Amino acid sequence: MNTTSTKNTKGTKGTKGTKGTKGTKGTKTDRRRVGNSPQAVPAIVLCVLGVLGVLGVLGVLCVVGVPSAPQSMSAAGPIFIESAAAAGLTFTHVNGATGNYYLPEVMGAGVALFDYDNDGDLDVFVVQGGALSANAVGGPETSRLYRNDLTTTGGRRTLKFTDVTERAHAGVRAYGMGVAVGDYDNDGYLDLFITSFGGVTLLHNNGDGTFTDVTTKSGLSDPQWSSSAAFIDYDRDGFLDLFVANYVDFTLAGNKSCNDSVGARDYCGPRAFRPVPSRLFRNAGNGTFTDVSERAGITKAYGAGLGVALGDYNGDGWPDLYVANDATPNNLWINHRDGTFVDEGLLSGSAVNAAGNPEGSMGIASGDFDLDGDEDLFVTNIAGETFVLYVNDGRGNFEDARTRAGLATPTAAFTGFGTDWIDYDNDGWPDLFVANGGVNIVESQRGQPTPFRMTNQLFHNVADKTGRRFEETSAAAGPAFARAEISRGAAFGDIDNDGDIDIVVSNNGGPVRLLLNQAGGTNHWLQVRLDQRPGNRFGIGALISIERAGQPTLRRRVRTDGSYLSASDVRVHFGLGSSAAIGAVVVQWPDGALERWTGITADKAVMLRRGSGVMSPR
Amino acid sequence: MAQAPLPFDSYPSGAREAISRAYADAAAKPTDAASVGTLARTLHAWEQWNSAHDAYARAQALAPATFDWFYLDAVVLRRLARHAETASRLEQALRISPGYLPARVMLAESLLESGDLERSAQRFDALDREPSAEPAAEFGLGRIAAARGRHDEAVTHFNRAVMLFPEYGAAYYALALSYRALGRIDEARTALEKHAQFGPRWPAIADPVLATVTSLRDDDPTNLQRGLKLAEAGDLAGAIAAHEAALARDPSIAQAHANLISLYGRMQNWAKAEEHYRAVVALGVNLGDAHYDYGVLLGLQEKWDLAADAYRQAIAVNSQHARARNNLGQILERQRQFDAAAAEYRQAAANQPSFRLARFNLGRMLIALGKTDEAIQELEKLQEPRDAEAPRYLFALATAYVRAGRKDEGIKWATDAKALALEHGQQDLAAAIERELARLR
């Protein structure tokens, strides 16, 4: 018989351990507000407070630097221009907050960029929250689908979105969290998988502008609080399987009372609850899925899952998974090629920080930022922790390089969520965008409505004597980066088809934002979409390399996952810098086959159909 | 430089009283470093980091020869992860009091965190000669060596750190990564096990200056925290007194009531435990664990039906409450409702796959129900890790095989179980297994 649950044991104060007499055991403290909980957490909930650069409240020298930093812009103007309302994206997220401090209210929701009607431009799907009460979860609001009606007349692009939710039957009524995109039935149309606080939904794209809810028919079921999800062909059989990260065992009836550092009621942190295991569903190839979580081994280790990304982290040609777990060690699920995964997070050095402590870990950017041929990881954390860059040695071992890369200090004051590697200026080097927003009251906003607001950040990938580092360019990015909101999800893709990467950002309890890139125009680029038959039609998991004479090879993986609760364009965008010369484009297909194309020219979108290039022996 | 206004109206009364008193005093005496410093300490104690930093900066300007303002500002800046500024402030502090050990350690660490390995190494080298700082120094030197790719050297330092402070979780983690870098994977995994065992523990160094900050808070959450530490140290009476004192001031602190359920339970004061359980229920928060804890207490009193009701209430609040399901399963098992018990164990294991006891109980129930193949399937999942719990799990697996008519496999697993039991010093279990083996052979 289990005895009484352990209450509030190990220290979790934000300061470093308990300073006592000589030789006293100290406890490295957890910066995360942890709430009053019977678990190994104290009665005090210690608020991790970020700094917000709000002028005049305290005269504080703000770490954020905006808006107190001057809004300098490049001679060409802002890097991004916010255009949601102008383009017809008029969605506002509803978090259902009513003063009960239910944890889902602070999590936000995701957004997807995908071409649902295969007309060559990216449409937007935004996940909606809703009411949270004992009587109803979810309200009259639903998730929304906006069709991109991009037109080009005389060289001038006009971006316009139309809400087609009802006619497309894409309105999901639930307390939605995340969205994943993939063509699970290989009919050539991208489908949608939506997670929520209790339950999941699979929307099949019928190919005629409509969707059908096939959740029950598919056998997909996950009653727990699901967050991010990823389509991944883990067994390389040509059918996309589904990994679903789950969060904690919070229930409305089981809500807990937590306080911040001054004793005011506040949201509990994840440690006030118990993490629940993620799920892996294998696609049977007939429209149904089977829960293989236990068989695959992914229930042997789990945390409070929030972000998930696929990548081949040990370079063996098989897709692995990285899961960002909130305030618990992250998982690096290495594919053992026999239907099972083994968690190598701790041993790989990508699970916790250098002191061995787990961090916030919400959003993930997975990709080769230093062009050395392997996939690195950038993970967003909460204010006071700094965001971490885990640099891969090519064998799935990671080094925490946040300080060396210049990412520690500028992120110290922020709580980050959606993120990705994007080459915003097409110079060939992946840059970083981060959507920020507090989960604890921001000290300088105490007493104000929605005191969780933060600005988003943009970082430029530059060379230095030891390799690569990042310089913050938020100040030059435009007024959109001076606006402090509670940002959460972020999806990336070329929305206006002008050859550079744009961003859609979701805000918790606020409007969706559309950041149109103005900076990529002077450099060359290439956009690649893959097509293979009969299975995994969009080639999710494939690795595309661009070989260039005298320059590093560019490598990017075909994916829609990563970030936070969001799904990005399945097309892969490459910035090529000042030279338009492309030696060859090489695709390593998900099954390991290699194919090569030459004669591809820059500054266009191409579709590479399997078999149309030159196949190499494996 | 005046202190910026503070949002007093948004602070709860405890914080508001303390902060506004200090603020008023500092506002009345803006050139008095002690008053301004007290304000800074107060803000620091209440974790208003940026405001505290502002106030410390003012105190530094007013009293540039006072160590405390520079040192405590560094503590705040470190909390904000502003490591380069932390280092700068500590250097200023140590010019005033060069011998203050916590500051010297923090400076070495901040230099490391801000990437200045050379100066950090110099600082850690000097600290290596201070007995109370030596573990931290060895850890720091190890991290620097690892950052430079000198993992053999790093391993030496980390091993010394854990030798000096055997519960140094962070050092075990760093040791694991260096072993991994050297290809010594088995040793890396062993070090990771130690890290998992000790978690965030690290060798604290007496810090009387920082204590002047922590002693400023006398609010209820702080006192609850102190109470919990008393409980950890075995002083249940002290812990209860601290909690009751907090509730005397504010009866609505749900966490205090919730903690007292188990604290009184441990004293076997059932009436008081129940009183606080009823209080939590009346407050309507923290219900899941309150019902669960109450169920445990009822079970300790052998009031099984009432305990089952309490567990059911916990499950009604949170259907994923694995421990409540497991304990309910045990009551159902006691009542010989084996199918129902198995269902609860199964759900507990599904909700929390890392909860091995639930799966073990499921396996036992399946054996009792004659579902030996299924029992084998479940119990096989408990083979790893080979910790102190594993011997009885393996013994159960052996039993399942034997009951399934697969005697040889049963003997193999029982032999494994016995060896593992002996490894873990479980003589009685080993003897019991040996008796079974003798019977089987």
Side-chain angles (χ1 to χ4, degrees), chain A residues 17-381:
Chain A
T18 309
K19 306 286 188 193
T21 56
K22 192 171 175 177
T24 303
K25 252 182 307 202
T27 305
K28 265 281 194 280
T29 52
D30 169 31
R31 295 172 178 281
R32 181 63 184 257
R33 178 204 51 215
V34 293
N36 301 330
S37 158
Q39 274 81 16
V41 291
I44 296 173
V45 180
L46 301 171
C47 182
V48 175
L49 299 174
V51 174
L52 188 64
V54 177
L55 271 175
V57 174
L58 296 171
V60 173
L61 289 173
C62 299
V63 173
V64 171
V66 287
S68 55
Q71 285 304 297
S72 62
M73 298 178 190
S74 67
I79 299 172
F80 287 91
I81 293 179
E82 202 290 302
S83 309
L89 273 181
T90 53
F91 177 92
T92 297
H93 178 256
V94 174
N95 65 18
T98 53
N100 288 308
Y101 292 89
Y102 292 134
L103 185 54
E105 297 165 3
V106 82
M107 306 306 291
V111 60
L113 280 173
F114 74 125
D115 184 3
Y116 88 97
D117 50 3
N118 281 353
D119 66 348
D121 53 42
L122 291 173
D123 313 295
V124 178
F125 180 84
V126 200
V127 180
Q128 182 58 282
L132 279 171
S133 74
N135 298 321
V137 173
E141 309 87 359
T142 70
S143 299
R144 311 302 293 177
L145 176 65
Y146 295 88
R147 186 187 64 217
N148 188 344
D149 295 327
L150 177 69
T151 56
T152 307
T153 310
R156 184 186 161 79
R157 287 183 172 76
T158 303
L159 190 58
K160 176 176 168 294
F161 287 93
T162 303
D163 187 338
V164 295
T165 308
E166 272 68 46
R167 78 181 93 150
H169 308 301
V172 176
R173 184 168 282 111
Y175 197 93
M177 288 284 294
V179 55
V181 168
D183 179 10
Y184 78 90
D185 60 344
N186 293 328
D187 64 357
Y189 287 90
L190 290 166
D191 311 295
L192 288 170
F193 177 78
I194 297 102
T195 62
S196 72
F197 172 56
V200 295
T201 305
L202 178 66
L203 293 182
H204 175 254
N205 187 336
N206 302 319
D208 59 0
T210 69
F211 290 80
T212 302
D213 184 341
V214 294
T215 312
T216 305
K217 197 167 96 167
S218 72
L220 282 168
S221 169
D222 186 355
Q224 291 169 324
W225 183 357
S226 46
S227 56
S228 286
F231 280 101
I232 167 178
D233 185 4
Y234 80 93
D235 52 4
R236 307 201 324 186
D237 67 352
F239 289 96
L240 288 176
D241 312 296
L242 189 57
F243 181 93
V244 183
N246 286 320
Y247 194 43
V248 295
D249 69 346
F250 170 87
T251 63
L252 297 184
N255 192 26
K256 296 181 180 175
S257 176
C258 297
N259 302 91
D260 69 8
S261 60
V262 295
R265 182 89 191 265
D266 199 358
Y267 288 97
C268 297
R271 289 196 182 186
F273 307 98
R274 295 174 191 87
V276 288
S278 299
R279 302 281 192 107
L280 179 65
F281 296 95
R282 183 175 176 274
N283 188 336
N286 58 2
T288 68
F289 290 81
T290 306
D291 188 338
V292 295
S293 309
E294 225 169 67
R295 197 188 323 161
I298 64 153
T299 58
K300 289 184 179 166
Y302 53 91
L306 281 182
V308 59
L310 85 86
D312 179 11
Y313 298 108
N314 60 351
D316 69 350
W318 285 72
D320 310 306
L321 282 161
Y322 184 76
V323 183
N325 291 316
D326 194 1
T328 39
N330 302 325
N331 300 121
L332 179 66
W333 290 110
I334 297 296
N335 192 332
H336 274 229
R337 312 181 225 177
D338 59 357
T340 69
F341 290 82
V342 173
D343 177 32
E344 300 286 5
L346 279 169
L347 191 61
S348 75
S350 66
V352 295
N353 66 13
N357 294 325
E359 297 182 302
S361 300
M362 287 84 81
I364 305 169
S366 174
D368 186 10
F369 86 96
D370 51 5
L371 305 188
D372 66 351
D374 53 45
E375 286 164 283
D376 312 294
L377 291 161
F378 174 76
V379 183
T380 56
N381 292 319

Side-chain angles (χ1 to χ4, degrees), chain A residues 7 16 25 28 42 294, chain B residues 109 167 200 225 293 317 381:
Chain A
K7 291 197 168 48
K16 191 181 166 183
K25 252 182 307 202
K28 265 281 194 280
E294 225 169 67
Chain B
E109 291 171 346
E167 297 174 341
Q225 175 85 327
D293 288 341
V317 164
K381 296 171 188 170

Side-chain angles (χ1 to χ4, degrees), chain A residues 242-523:
Chain A
L242 189 57
F243 181 93
V244 183
N246 286 320
Y247 194 43
V248 295
D249 69 346
F250 170 87
T251 63
L252 297 184
N255 192 26
K256 296 181 180 175
S257 176
C258 297
N259 302 91
D260 69 8
S261 60
V262 295
R265 182 89 191 265
D266 199 358
Y267 288 97
C268 297
R271 289 196 182 186
F273 307 98
R274 295 174 191 87
V276 288
S278 299
R279 302 281 192 107
L280 179 65
F281 296 95
R282 183 175 176 274
N283 188 336
N286 58 2
T288 68
F289 290 81
T290 306
D291 188 338
V292 295
S293 309
E294 225 169 67
R295 197 188 323 161
I298 64 153
T299 58
K300 289 184 179 166
Y302 53 91
L306 281 182
V308 59
L310 85 86
D312 179 11
Y313 298 108
N314 60 351
D316 69 350
W318 285 72
D320 310 306
L321 282 161
Y322 184 76
V323 183
N325 291 316
D326 194 1
T328 39
N330 302 325
N331 300 121
L332 179 66
W333 290 110
I334 297 296
N335 192 332
H336 274 229
R337 312 181 225 177
D338 59 357
T340 69
F341 290 82
V342 173
D343 177 32
E344 300 286 5
L346 279 169
L347 191 61
S348 75
S350 66
V352 295
N353 66 13
N357 294 325
E359 297 182 302
S361 300
M362 287 84 81
I364 305 169
S366 174
D368 186 10
F369 86 96
D370 51 5
L371 305 188
D372 66 351
D374 53 45
E375 286 164 283
D376 312 294
L377 291 161
F378 174 76
V379 183
T380 56
N381 292 319
I382 59 170
E385 291 179 337
T386 74
F387 304 161
V388 60
L389 174 63
Y390 289 120
V391 178
N392 193 338
D393 70 354
R395 292 167 294 158
N397 299 317
F398 293 84
E399 179 205 348
D400 182 339
R402 70 184 89 188
T403 301
R404 177 159 54 87
L407 287 166
T409 300
T411 61
F414 292 93
T415 297
F417 286 87
T419 182
D420 203 4
W421 300 112
I422 57 163
D423 185 0
Y424 71 79
D425 58 352
N426 284 339
D427 68 355
W429 293 95
D431 310 300
L432 270 172
F433 168 84
V434 188
N436 293 316
V439 292
N440 306 105
I441 294 172
V442 175
E443 186 183 328
S444 59
Q445 295 172 19
R446 184 175 292 280
Q448 300 173 18
T450 61
F452 307 97
R453 306 181 307 278
M454 294 182 173
T455 55
N456 299 328
Q457 291 176 291
L458 191 67
F459 295 93
H460 191 220
N461 186 340
V462 300
D464 81 352
K465 54 184 184 300
T466 61
R468 309 298 301 182
R469 60 179 283 115
F470 290 86
E471 287 179 352
E472 185 169 5
T473 50
S474 307
F481 283 75
R483 177 189 273 141
E485 295 183 303
I486 312 172
S487 297
R488 293 288 187 259
F492 306 84
D494 187 0
I495 295 169
D496 51 3
N497 286 344
D498 65 349
D500 52 37
I501 292 294
D502 311 299
I503 311 169
V504 177
V505 179
S506 65
N507 286 307
N508 186 25
V512 72
R513 300 296 185 193
L514 170 61
L515 303 178
L516 291 179
N517 190 338
Q518 314 296 308
T522 55
N523 284 323

